[in-house]
Amino acid sequence: MIKQMHVTGFMIYCPAPHMIMSWVYPREKIRHQWTDVEYWVEIAQTLERGKMDMFFFADGWGGGTNDASVRYAIQFPASDPVSLVPYLAAVTKKLGLAVTMSTTFYPPFMLARKLATLDHITKGRIGWNIVTSVSRGEARNFGMDDMPPHDERYDRADEYMEVVNKLWESWDDDALLMDMENGIFADPAKVHKIDHAGQYYNVQGPLTVTPSPQRKPYIFQAGASERGRDFAARHAECVFAVANNTQQMRSFCDDIATRAEKYGRDPGQIKIIWGAQPLVAHSHSEALARQQEIRARIPIEASLALLGGHLNYNLNTLDIDLPIADLNLKITGIQGMLEAAVKVDPNVTLRKMASTYLSGSDNGPMIGTAKQVADHMVYLMEEGGGDGFQITPSYYGPDYFADLNQMLIPELQRRGVFRTEYNGTTLRDYMNEDAPVRAAE
Amino acid sequence: MIKQMHVTGFMIYCPAPHMIMSWVYPREKIRHQWTDVEYWVEIAQTLERGKMDMFFFADGWGGGTNDASVRYAIQFPASDPVSLVPYLAAVTKKLGLAVTMSTTFYPPFMLARKLATLDHITKGRIGWNIVTSVSRGEARNFGMDDMPPHDERYDRADEYMEVVNKLWESWDDDALLMDMENGIFADPAKVHKIDHAGQYYNVQGPLTVTPSPQRKPYIFQAGASERGRDFAARHAECVFAVANNTQQMRSFCDDIATRAEKYGRDPGQIKIIWGAQPLVAHSHSEALARQQEIRARIPIEASLALLGGHLNYNLNTLDIDLPIADLNLKITGIQGMLEAAVKVDPNVTLRKMASTYLSGSDNGPMIGTAKQVADHMVYLMEEGGGDGFQITPSYYGPDYFADLNQMLIPELQRRGVFRTEYNGTTLRDYMNEDAPVRAAE
């Protein structure tokens, strides 16, 4: 059997998630503004019609706001996706729904209760993307002067996982009776306090939510650092990653597999999906023209604000036309991004780097006809490995995903690499048919 | 014009909110179990058909679990209402939706962002019931050994309100431009950091959510203590209270009015609504028989568990047939409940008190035909004062509220004391047509 691909919709609950200025669109074609819940309903229902695995929401807790990020809507403002997802559950039947929630900001009892409730409400369609949060701006919205050091965040997160797993297991399978004849609701001997007393957390329990369809949310993680990969290999059912070429993909997959084995886990049970932003049109030239049009409206200040946000550093005061190597920056932001860029091109400037960052220009083979893009997706899976793609729109979301449904999805289905009907009823069913019911223990 | 009454549905997201054992019901009449979201959808749509102001969810964060509370489902388990309400927003058009969120457990930035998001999603139908939380069991699910002392909780809550109000005001009215022609999303000069540095909270801001339809949630509070009433008079737009007779009602209303004036607020802008549990049937004898049937299935252990939960004290080890006065209890639980009971009857026992607690027996005039109950509700408003009733079901919620729609609501409408169509579109419109847009500053 041909290996199946997972394809998801990946966004932030904001005006322009991963393509700068994508909130700008011809007014006559805008049916709903992003501030209206109908905009998100239309996207969710479109993803479901396309049989995509899920709607996945990245998220952060603000901070790092500067004039450019407000003026151009650089991943700002951003509303709370945990409040949106139940609404989307009510207007879909099958689509998986995954939310990002931070172990630094949500108390573990609160998170465990919310996700168990959401698993009930969605009838088993909920996923959790674990983040430990990263930026000083976020910390300062939560009474801290700065984030805890990187490794401590992960130490805390390891214990956090222990706590939430205990809570999700605090009801035995046969504890709930709802015996109306004898007036017995549940068996007290089968509902357990957890009495967790650890280095970072003290939690009594039990969870106040009955066992939910998936029992635990399907678990995602996207750590790219050494410690983050280790955390993913230990706890995640699916790792979300970004890679620039098949070599990087292959080496990431191998690394996760090695680490998983260290924790006694079957690497085949850990899925890996890649961030992607295809731009599909009826002809290659139409797709390229579309890309030009999208890029032309991006001011350099906006690109710098996004890059600076991801680096957790204000780039505004720097000379953006000097080689980065000459700026003597002490930035160790996500994935050693600056170092990597300088390694590829010793003369690269911030202007050059910013202008190609999340503006589609390094996205060559993902731009073209459905056939061209499907060819490339299959090639990436075969040569690079992994299990599918998290797709984030480069223009007005409802139209972007409708275009994928019309062109790309049928092409993938014809090749037999993507489902034509949902397999099962839960997100865990879709992502991993062979998953043990309690995968993430 | 005859004074209008507010009528709401009041529940907890649990099997039996305010009538012990009300999860028991003839199986053939149960369309959805409380664990299914469809149960809550049916109730919400029923309330909306009845033109009720809102669906109001009380809530707590667990703890105090003992064998009896698990066995009989005494306000346990309880799922997260903040996760349910957006789903209910998707299946209703007009109904207000109010959730309880604790100032002790939600960080203020998190709460402000969630409620602003919910106000967008519901298009202005969200309300917030402010609680400071009370029980040791809850504290122990959040890493504390016990709750902060009562007055400190309210000091913190006062500052908390300052923080969330600043966040909800951190965008000027004209900050959001979404100017697609010129590519300007928002005016950075009109989106403000709040830089709050206080005794308990340090929060930078701005809020990452654009101004929502109501700008701020409609604010409820139910503090009964001295400090709680002061807090309500200062911050609440509507106070939710429980009273046993018209004298108590009148004195509560006067007290809130006096305190409101102290804070320079117009007492007319603070609504007061009363907890109630009418039992309506086609004849008085049918209603009484229904009440008998409901009470007969309540074990004394279950009543004691509920009373103990509300007193924040485990009553299991006490002699329940001795006069309470002889037990030498040091319980200062909600509203001096024990002292008040002993004052009324010096020989009262825990058995007697528990068996009449939330089991309908002191509910006399609220049990009968629609005409009898409507008479009593109008009498209470005229003699006791206040603005309406929070109604909590005594049996299977979907049928209970459908019965009210069929019998009680038309009776109130005939008398001209309850709306026949929703006035306006927001919860603030329904609760207070004269409210200033930014009422709770």
Side-chain angles (χ1 to χ4, degrees), chain B residues 243-275:
Chain B
N244 292 324
N245 53 52
T246 54
Q247 206 174 357
Q248 278 183 17
M249 289 167 73
R250 177 62 60 199
S251 110
F252 185 87
C253 291
D254 291 347
D255 185 53
I256 293 291
T258 307
R259 292 174 198 261
E261 277 163 2
K262 192 177 77 186
Y263 289 111
R265 295 183 66 197
D266 172 7
Q269 294 292 330
I270 305 181
K271 305 295 175 185
I272 296 174
I273 52 178
W274 311 101

Side-chain angles (χ1 to χ4, degrees), chain A residues 146-362:
Chain A
D146 204 345
M147 295 297 293
H150 179 271
D151 282 8
E152 185 193 319
R153 287 207 309 277
Y154 277 105
D155 287 343
R156 295 178 72 102
D158 275 330
E159 190 184 326
Y160 195 105
M161 293 308 295
E162 189 186 335
V163 173
V164 296
N165 278 311
K166 282 179 183 172
L167 287 168
W168 287 323
E169 296 288 343
S170 60
W171 289 62
D172 293 350
D173 287 337
D174 54 352
L176 185 64
L177 302 170
M178 294 211 274
D179 173 355
M180 299 204 179
E181 284 65 35
N182 299 301
I184 308 293
F185 178 80
D187 182 347
K190 295 175 176 169
V191 179
H192 311 283
K193 286 187 179 169
I194 68 166
D195 288 324
H196 177 90
Q199 188 179 350
Y200 300 106
Y201 301 104
N202 292 292
V203 179
Q204 183 175 262
L207 192 62
T208 64
V209 184
T210 57
S212 66
Q214 294 188 118
R215 177 67 85 148
K216 300 175 185 180
Y218 186 77
I219 305 280
F220 296 89
Q221 212 262 352
S225 66
E226 284 290 311
R227 195 70 173 74
R229 290 177 184 210
D230 231 46
F231 185 89
R234 186 167 168 189
H235 300 291
E237 298 177 80
C238 178
V239 184
F240 166 43
V242 177
N244 291 325
N245 52 53
T246 54
Q247 205 175 356
Q248 277 183 17
M249 290 167 73
R250 178 62 61 199
S251 110
F252 186 86
C253 292
D254 291 346
D255 184 54
I256 293 292
T258 306
R259 291 173 198 261
E261 277 164 1
K262 192 177 78 186
Y263 289 110
R265 295 184 68 197
D266 172 5
Q269 295 292 329
I270 305 181
K271 305 296 175 185
I272 296 173
I273 52 179
W274 310 101
Q277 193 170 61
L279 184 53
V280 182
H282 292 290
S283 70
H284 192 206
S285 59
E286 188 190 327
L288 288 174
R290 189 70 173 272
Q291 186 201 21
Q292 273 313 108
E293 184 195 320
I294 290 169
R295 291 186 60 194
R297 72 166 75 100
I298 302 178
I300 184 70
E301 300 88 337
S303 300
L304 284 167
L306 179 62
L307 180 61
H310 281 183
L311 290 170
N312 196 19
Y313 196 92
N314 186 349
L315 306 174
N316 284 356
T317 56
L318 302 172
D319 185 335
I320 63 171
D321 293 310
L322 278 180
I324 290 173
D326 296 351
L327 293 173
N328 283 318
L329 294 174
K330 297 263 176 296
I331 306 178
T332 54
I334 44 169
Q335 301 172 55
M337 202 189 284
L338 285 189
E339 297 87 328
V342 172
K343 212 166 160 187
V344 172
D345 171 6
N347 291 318
V348 68
T349 62
L350 281 172
R351 180 186 298 277
K352 169 132 194 252
M353 195 174 160
S355 67
T356 59
Y357 185 61
L358 285 202
S359 47
S361 65
D362 281 347

Side-chain angles (χ1 to χ4, degrees), chain B residues 212-259:
Chain B
S212 66
Q214 294 187 116
R215 176 68 84 149
K216 300 173 184 180
Y218 187 77
I219 304 281
F220 297 89
Q221 212 262 352
S225 67
E226 284 290 310
R227 195 71 172 76
R229 290 176 185 211
D230 233 45
F231 186 87
R234 187 166 167 190
H235 301 290
E237 297 177 81
C238 178
V239 184
F240 166 44
V242 178
N244 292 324
N245 53 52
T246 54
Q247 206 174 357
Q248 278 183 17
M249 289 167 73
R250 177 62 60 199
S251 110
F252 185 87
C253 291
D254 291 347
D255 185 53
I256 293 291
T258 307
R259 292 174 198 261

Side-chain angles (χ1 to χ4, degrees), chain A residues 8-25 39-40 43 47 52 55-57 75 275-280 290 294 297-298 358-360 363 390-404:
Chain A
T8 80
F10 171 47
M11 293 184 79
I12 300 172
Y13 187 0
C14 76
H18 298 96
M19 173 59 77
I20 299 167
M21 301 299 282
S22 59
W23 61 275
V24 175
Y25 202 61
Y39 173 93
W40 303 96
I43 294 173
L47 297 177
M52 297 191 212
F55 197 169
F56 180 109
F57 286 92
Q75 299 190 341
Q277 193 170 61
L279 184 53
V280 182
R290 189 70 173 272
I294 290 169
R297 72 166 75 100
I298 302 178
L358 285 202
S359 47
N363 215 6
Q390 289 252 72
I391 296 187
T392 185
S394 53
Y395 53 91
Y396 186 66
D399 281 357
Y400 177 87
F401 287 112
D403 289 346
L404 292 194

Side-chain angles (χ1 to χ4, degrees), chain A residues 59 71 79 106 113-114 185, chain B residues 59 71 79 106 113 185:
Chain A
D59 191 41
R71 183 175 295 116
S79 301
Y106 277 96
R113 185 182 182 221
K114 284 184 181 291
F185 178 80
Chain B
D59 191 42
R71 184 175 294 116
S79 301
Y106 278 96
R113 185 182 183 221
F185 178 79

Side-chain angles (χ1 to χ4, degrees), chain A residues 122-153:
Chain A
T122 61
K123 300 192 197 300
R125 298 188 278 144
I126 202 76
W128 171 30
N129 178 38
I130 309 172
V131 296
T132 61
S133 297
V134 60
S135 84
R136 178 177 292 178
E138 291 176 281
R140 290 185 175 174
N141 284 332
F142 284 81
M144 302 178 233
D145 195 48
D146 204 345
M147 295 297 293
H150 179 271
D151 282 8
E152 185 193 319
R153 287 207 309 277

Side-chain angles (χ1 to χ4, degrees), chain B residues 60-132:
Chain B
W61 283 95
T65 322
N66 58 35
D67 282 3
S69 64
V70 175
R71 184 175 294 116
Y72 303 116
I74 306 303
Q75 299 189 340
F76 178 90
S79 301
D80 176 42
V82 182
S83 302
L84 176 62
V85 149
Y87 195 106
L88 302 182
V91 297
T92 53
K93 294 261 181 242
K94 288 284 200 172
L95 184 69
L97 296 160
V99 285
T100 298
M101 295 172 81
S102 165
T103 56
T104 301
F105 302 130
Y106 278 96
F109 190 90
M110 182 182 281
L111 178 134
R113 185 182 183 221
K114 283 184 182 290
L115 285 169
T117 301
L118 287 171
D119 200 46
H120 275 293
I121 286 173
T122 62
K123 299 192 197 299
R125 296 188 278 143
I126 203 74
W128 172 31
N129 178 38
I130 309 172
V131 296
T132 61

Side-chain angles (χ1 to χ4, degrees), chain B residues 22-23 25 40 48 78 91 96 98 106 111 118 126 139 152 166-167 177 229 242 275 293 324 376 378 388 394 423 437:
Chain B
S22 59
W23 60 275
Y25 202 62
W40 304 96
E48 184 166 83
V91 297
Y106 278 96
L111 178 134
L118 287 171
I126 203 74
E152 185 193 320
K166 282 180 185 172
L167 287 168
L177 302 170
R229 290 176 185 211
V242 178
E293 183 195 319
I324 290 173
H376 190 61
V378 170
S394 53
N423 54 306
V437 177

